[in-house]
Amino acid sequence: SNGLDASDAPAEPMVIVATVLDPDCLPAAGALVNLWHTDAAGHYGTEQTECCYYQVAGRTDGNGQFRLETIRPGQYDEANAPPAHIHLEITHAAGRHMSEIVFAGDPALPASAGEGDGRIVVALTETDDGWQGTATFNLAP
């Protein structure tokens, strides 16, 4: 919650398990992963604080993996808003990666999403415990 009171927007739990690979497609162990996103209503924070209800930093494990347990973010509450997304920054000795995680099936998602536009499209499956998905990030130049 980054020091903010929790958002009161009704939220659905979401888990994404991701793997970070170095340019040789080997696990990028110890990579620093910084993520931030909106609440379920598409807001980052309060009028007094711009960001962020949901923000976390951590490191990948020895297999280059991390597990994000959060809520499903909402689309911005504005005209022509981009699809719901999670901002992502990965830093490792092998390289740096900045992108957005977006969700397959989102009606606001362009058909070409993920094709060289810096976005990673994640297919989510709804379970009894919320939404689940997987992703792979490559630090290739």
Side-chain angles (χ1 to χ4, degrees), residues 63-118:
N63 295 315
Q65 293 188 328
F66 67 90
R67 178 182 173 94
L68 174 64
E69 294 182 23
T70 187
I71 59 103
R72 190 165 177 172
Q75 185 177 21
Y76 300 157
D77 187 18
E78 59 188 49
N80 301 313
H85 58 279
I86 297 174
H87 296 278
L88 172 87
E89 178 182 23
I90 302 171
T91 306
H92 186 265
R96 185 169 177 259
H97 181 86
M98 296 236 1
S99 66
E100 294 177 352
I101 298 171
V102 293
F103 308 104
D106 185 329
L109 190 64
S112 63
E115 296 176 13
D117 65 0

Side-chain angles (χ1 to χ4, degrees), residues 22-35:
D22 71 13
D24 296 322
C25 292
L26 298 172
L32 177 62
V33 181
N34 186 21
L35 301 113

Side-chain angles (χ1 to χ4, degrees), residues 11-28:
E12 299 173 285
M14 181 179 68
V15 174
I16 296 176
V17 177
T19 303
V20 179
L21 302 174
D22 71 13
D24 296 322
C25 292
L26 298 172

Side-chain angles (χ1 to χ4, degrees), residues 9 37 51 62 74 83 110 115 120 132 134:
H37 65 82
C51 195
E115 296 176 13
I120 303 297
Q132 295 185 5
T134 60

Side-chain angles (χ1 to χ4, degrees), residues 6-7 28 32 38-39 45 48 57 59 80 94 106-107 111 115 131 136 139 141:
S7 168
L32 177 62
T38 67
D39 66 4
Q48 295 80 24
R59 294 204 177 265
N80 301 313
D106 185 329
E115 296 176 13
W131 296 94
T136 301
L139 299 174

Side-chain angles (χ1 to χ4, degrees), residues 1-9 37-40 43-55 71:
S1 69
N2 213 25
L4 296 176
D5 289 337
S7 168
D8 60 2
H37 65 82
T38 67
D39 66 4
H43 303 123
Y44 282 104
T46 66
E47 289 181 20
Q48 295 80 24
T49 308
E50 186 175 314
C51 195
C52 283
Y53 285 124
Y54 298 94
Q55 183 173 19
I71 59 103

